[in-house]
Amino acid sequence: MRTAAVRAGIDTDAAEGAVVPPLYLSTTYRFEGLRTPRAFDYSRSGNPTRSLLADALAELDGAAGAVVTASGMGAISTVLLGLVAAGDVVVAPHDAYGGTWRLLDALARRVGFDLQLLDLTAPDAPARVTSLAPRLLWVETPSNPLLGISDLAALGEAAHACGGLMAVDNTFCSPVLQRPIELGADLVVQSSTKYLNGHSDVIGGVVASATVQLAEQMAWWANCLGVTGGAFDSYQTMRGLRTLGVRMAAHQANAASVVDALAGHAAVARVYYPGLPDHPGHALAARQMAGFGGIVSFDLAGGEDAVAAFVDGLDHFSLAESLGGVESLVCHPGSMTHAAMPPDVQAAAGLGPGLVRLSVGIEDPDDLVADITAGLARAAGALS
Ligand SMILES: *Cc1c(COP(=O)(O)O)cnc(C)c1O
């Protein structure tokens, strides 16, 4: 895995023997003659730099092919617009990423499909999926922001039993921690804005497909819709991808230290992290993931006032949306990433006003723990 990420595109330059592949910014490619295009003709449909990144990401996911898109939402749009028609049933998690929820909700009305939101972490979820017979089952595990774990193998079987397809948003894991195609996914979507690029300087996405037919269909739709990724973004993402293995290891180790500081603290009502033995999805996560990841959420007992006290004064966590970069971030999902969800939908999904999500970076763990500990003392002060 690490080797494939590091070696992506290395030594592929036939023109000059460049070790790192060059960046092709040209939007258009000269035909060899009338009716004889070369491998690439126009950069929306195909670009050499983007194509190397797509091949690398397909290999990491164990996919038949991948298409790189301009954003994670571009990847999700490609899957939904390419696969779902009026009258179809789409099953999705009740606590999906806010942007995913907004797109599903808007498209269900515009296209006329039947959106069913379920708790996919529940033990009866596979049976409920089969009884709903979806064309598409959308899964996010760990889910955002509550880190719920869904059983990919069981859900994949349930979707296939009724002739449907399973798509998995693997943004929180990257292929280093979870390989959904091996567990039965037909499509894997990621926001490469997060861990794949890892440096918070590119918006991008990818759809990887288990079969050549799906891969061709997704590439066709991404080109047709005009959501394929830019060449420079692909170049940057490939550069970030090379260190994915070492970054994920550092994120996880630091997350474990932060969880230790949170667990049992008086200001903290509950910690959501699949690595904790009392997390309801712990055993499943240990089975289907290669590690528990770098995202940690927790409820502060004092609600939104405690959140304000906690975030105001942090030195090493920036109050910002997004996740998966080398720098640590803190977010209040209720007013930030999930603000598009109406309060009743937030409440149904278990998002309380005191919920905080951390994207734990790769800084020195002692600095992060000291910062969190001081923040919790402020939050406890707001409580008393
Ligand atoms: C960020 C994110 C997306 C959307 O990706 P963009 O690159 O912001 O369009 C989708 N799913 C998850 C889980 C995310 O965290």
Side-chain angles (χ1 to χ4, degrees):
M1 180 72 61
R2 284 193 190 191
T3 309
V6 171
R7 295 294 302 181
I10 296 285
D11 289 349
T12 53
D13 174 45
E16 303 291 351
V19 171
V20 172
L23 163 59
Y24 287 91
L25 289 171
S26 184
T27 55
T28 188
Y29 295 82
R30 196 176 68 247
F31 279 55
E32 280 175 34
L34 193 66
R35 292 182 185 273
T36 41
R38 298 168 202 262
F40 297 96
D41 56 17
Y42 184 58
S43 270
R44 169 161 41 73
S45 343
N47 170 281
T49 309
R50 186 171 72 232
S51 163
L52 284 178
L53 175 63
D55 289 349
L57 294 175
E59 183 179 353
L60 292 176
D61 265 324
V67 60
V68 168
T69 55
S71 67
M73 291 316 302
I76 297 169
S77 303
T78 301
V79 172
L80 294 178
L81 292 170
L83 288 176
V84 181
D88 284 345
V89 173
V90 174
V91 172
H94 68 159
D95 60 346
Y97 171 71
T100 303
W101 176 83
R102 179 173 56 191
L103 179 65
L104 284 166
D105 182 61
L107 276 183
R109 274 179 268 168
R110 175 59 58 97
V111 173
F113 61 77
D114 176 12
L115 176 63
Q116 297 282 339
L117 299 178
L118 296 188
D119 177 2
L120 293 180
T121 68
D124 67 347
R128 294 189 65 192
V129 166
T130 305
S131 69
L132 288 166
R135 162 76 178 137
L136 183 69
L137 167 63
W138 191 268
V139 188
E140 240 183 79
T141 179
S143 68
N144 180 13
L146 294 176
L147 289 310
I149 306 294
S150 303
D151 189 335
L152 289 178
L155 288 169
E157 269 178 37
H160 296 152
C162 52
L165 297 172
M166 178 167 77
V168 177
D169 184 335
N170 205 35
T171 300
F172 272 38
C173 290
S174 90
V176 171
L177 297 186
Q178 184 165 266
R179 304 202 346 137
I181 288 177
E182 288 175 357
L183 297 166
D186 301 285
L187 298 142
V188 181
V189 163
Q190 286 178 84
S191 166
S192 55
T193 311
K194 317 294 169 52
Y195 287 110
L196 291 179
N197 177 60
H199 294 75
S200 305
D201 54 7
V202 176
I203 297 283
V206 59
V207 184
S209 301
T211 66
V212 173
Q213 193 209 339
L214 274 174
E216 284 173 354
Q217 207 177 332
M218 291 300 107
W220 188 91
W221 273 100
N223 176 50
C224 174
L225 292 166
V227 297
T228 50
F232 187 67
D233 289 354
S234 298
Y235 182 89
Q236 290 267 83
T237 303
M238 182 92 106
R239 179 181 162 127
L241 185 67
R242 299 193 194 288
T243 56
L244 180 64
V246 289
R247 282 189 286 108
M248 289 313 291
H251 283 297
Q252 295 206 92
N254 283 359
S257 300
V258 166
V259 166
D260 281 347
L262 292 168
H265 194 285
V268 177
R270 182 164 170 194
V271 181
Y272 305 88
Y273 187 66
L276 285 170
D278 64 356
H279 183 288
H282 177 67
L284 176 58
R287 206 161 66 232
Q288 80 183 6
M289 298 167 71
F292 301 111
I295 308 296
V296 180
S297 294
F298 57 98
D299 279 319
L300 283 171
E304 189 161 341
D305 289 347
V307 175
F310 176 78
V311 300
D312 189 13
L314 289 174
D315 288 327
H316 304 304
F317 288 79
S318 304
L319 179 63
E321 298 191 1
S322 199
L323 57 100
V326 291
E327 75 292 341
S328 291
L329 301 178
V330 59
C331 154
H332 178 238
S335 63
M336 295 169 71
T337 48
H338 290 63
M341 272 188 182
D344 56 319
V345 181
Q346 286 196 13
L351 269 75
L355 185 72
V356 175
R357 186 189 76 189
L358 302 176
S359 172
V360 182
I362 65 168
E363 303 88 344
D364 283 330
D366 295 349
D367 291 335
L368 299 183
V369 167
D371 209 19
I372 292 294
T373 307
L376 292 178
R378 288 192 300 275
L383 189 59
S384 60

